[in-house]
Amino acid sequence: MPRAVRFDQYGDIDVLNVVDVERPVPGAGEVLVRVKATGINPGEASIRKGLLHERFPATFPSGEGSDLAGVVEEVGPGVAEFAVGDEVLGWTDQRASHAELALAPIDQLVPKPAGVPWNAAGALYVAGATAWAAVRAVGASTGDTVVVSGAAGGVGSLAVQLAVHAGAKVIGLASEPNHEWLRAHHVIPVSYGDGVAERIREATEGRVDAFIDTFGGGYVQLAIEELGVAPDRVDTIIDWATAEKYGAKTDGSMAGSSPQVLSELAGLIERGELEVPIAATYPLEQVREAFRELEQRHTRGKIVLEP
Ligand SMILES: NC(=O)c1ccc[n+]([C@@H]2O[C@H](COP(=O)([O-])OP(=O)(O)OC[C@H]3O[C@@H](n4cnc5c(N)ncnc54)[C@H](OP(=O)(O)O)[C@@H]3O)[C@@H](O)[C@H]2O)c1
């Protein structure tokens, strides 16, 4: 029987188990994917802890995971777009990709370009769609100076590269160990913590046009009140309450969820214009260890399960 992550109640990492499950059967418009790589995301930890119960409740037993890349194992009735053996990347909305086998609708999959590594492909959806949407939301383009908080995290590491690609001068807020990686990706690193507004002003000669917040904890307010960024050029993917207060944007993964966006990002990766940094990989059976590392909140790029 195929193995999959399940949890039967809200709680800490130890509610996560890997168990035998029924083999999923693809319906019309679906394919069954043998998962080769699947990214893990902080939102999944929040759901598991019950912190998003109002917004995204769980029903038990619950599966987990959206991101996936793998090989088509079986196609549902009438599916002509994909065939058994095709290499694909994409997502499921059924909290089901942290598994050996996962179903996905055909309009949530794209062909995996041969030059895109499995780990990058399997980690792309949530972080990639979110970064793409955030960069679009703030309208980053040539001549702009854009600041990104959490600049080396899963979303931030992609957002900084996409903003550079759009022609902007990019300031990345990150801890010291990530500064070299940021510089190597044409991003000016600035340490967060006390005095961050002053350090940003020094790095930007006092002009900041847009701000992408991937961390929360006061950056929306800092952007608008201390750096003078217009609220419609601030996007936060986490601090919804402050965004509402100031009229800032909250475009996240939903705003970037399309096969076209995934294909565009995969193309950038294949051409060497976008790197998905892989901080660590774990076998499916070590899902708890994977989340233990993620929940330290200092991942550079993505952590990936390899079922
Ligand atoms: N709305 C949406 O659609 C959506 C989609 C995806 C994610 N999210 C949310 O967005 C957030 C980021 O997701 P992610 O996957 O990028 O997370 P992640 O990979 O865990 O990134 C964590 C980042 O936070 C940084 N960080 C830690 N402490 C910090 C501090 N005190 N100040 C500033 N930065 C700090 C770390 O930087 P250093 O390592 O340099 O310390 C690290 O780069 C999560 O809360 C997630 O739930 C929302």
Side-chain angles (χ1 to χ4, degrees):
M1 289 175 91
R3 308 275 287 164
V5 173
R6 288 284 184 275
F7 57 101
D8 293 324
Q9 63 192 78
Y10 289 133
D12 284 329
I13 283 167
D14 57 8
V15 301
L16 291 173
N17 290 301
V18 181
V19 302
D20 290 343
V21 296
E22 294 292 326
R23 180 185 167 91
V25 178
E30 287 183 329
V31 304
L32 182 65
V33 178
R34 183 159 291 277
V35 180
K36 303 223 7 146
T38 171
I40 69 170
N41 290 283
E44 291 147 7
S46 299
I47 288 172
R48 186 200 73 232
K49 292 175 189 164
L51 301 177
L52 297 177
H53 183 72
E54 298 299 319
R55 208 176 246 253
F56 304 118
T59 51
F60 303 111
S62 178
E64 184 179 74
S66 307
D67 303 347
L68 61 86
V71 179
V72 173
E73 174 101 352
E74 197 180 324
V75 301
V79 169
E81 292 80 354
F82 295 98
V84 171
D86 285 356
E87 297 185 346
V88 294
L89 67 93
W91 80 98
T92 166
D93 291 324
Q94 304 305 313
R95 299 184 186 168
S97 68
H98 296 168
E100 289 178 336
L101 291 172
L103 295 172
I106 53 171
D107 60 358
Q108 294 180 192
L109 292 174
V110 298
K112 184 187 83 66
V116 176
W118 281 112
N119 286 337
L124 190 59
Y125 164 64
V126 170
T130 306
W132 183 94
V135 170
R136 182 186 63 169
V138 303
S141 71
T142 308
D144 282 335
T145 298
V146 181
V147 180
V148 179
S149 66
V155 178
S157 63
L158 302 181
V160 291
Q161 294 178 77
L162 294 175
V164 167
H165 200 257
K169 171 177 170 178
V170 181
I171 313 298
L173 306 185
S175 61
E176 194 75 33
N178 288 320
H179 286 196
E180 199 177 314
W181 183 89
L182 289 167
R183 272 190 215 100
H185 291 78
H186 315 291
V187 177
I188 300 165
V190 167
S191 297
Y192 53 78
D194 284 350
V196 65
E198 196 45 46
R199 287 192 291 281
I200 293 171
R201 278 188 214 104
E202 274 166 28
T204 59
E205 287 153 11
R207 186 188 134 192
V208 179
D209 300 294
F211 199 109
I212 295 171
D213 170 36
T214 79
F215 187 75
Y219 286 113
V220 171
Q221 185 172 352
L222 178 139
I224 294 168
E225 294 208 344
E226 296 191 53
L227 302 175
V229 183
D232 67 351
R233 299 204 71 191
V234 175
D235 190 78
T236 178
I237 60 168
I238 188 69
D239 191 356
W240 300 295
T242 313
E244 195 178 346
K245 178 176 164 198
Y246 286 100
K249 293 183 173 172
T250 55
D251 284 7
S253 63
M254 303 268 268
S257 288
S258 77
Q260 290 78 11
V261 168
L262 272 191
S263 289
E264 181 185 328
L265 297 173
L268 289 171
I269 297 169
E270 191 178 37
R271 294 194 297 278
E273 295 169 24
L274 179 68
E275 181 199 344
V276 181
I278 302 298
T281 60
Y282 289 88
L284 186 68
E285 301 292 328
Q286 288 179 21
V287 64
R288 293 181 181 183
E289 286 76 1
F291 273 96
R292 208 163 276 129
E293 180 173 346
L294 180 86
E295 290 175 41
Q296 303 296 313
R297 300 308 309 274
H298 292 291
T299 307
R300 181 188 305 160
K302 297 296 302 172
I303 295 172
V304 177
L305 297 173
E306 295 177 320

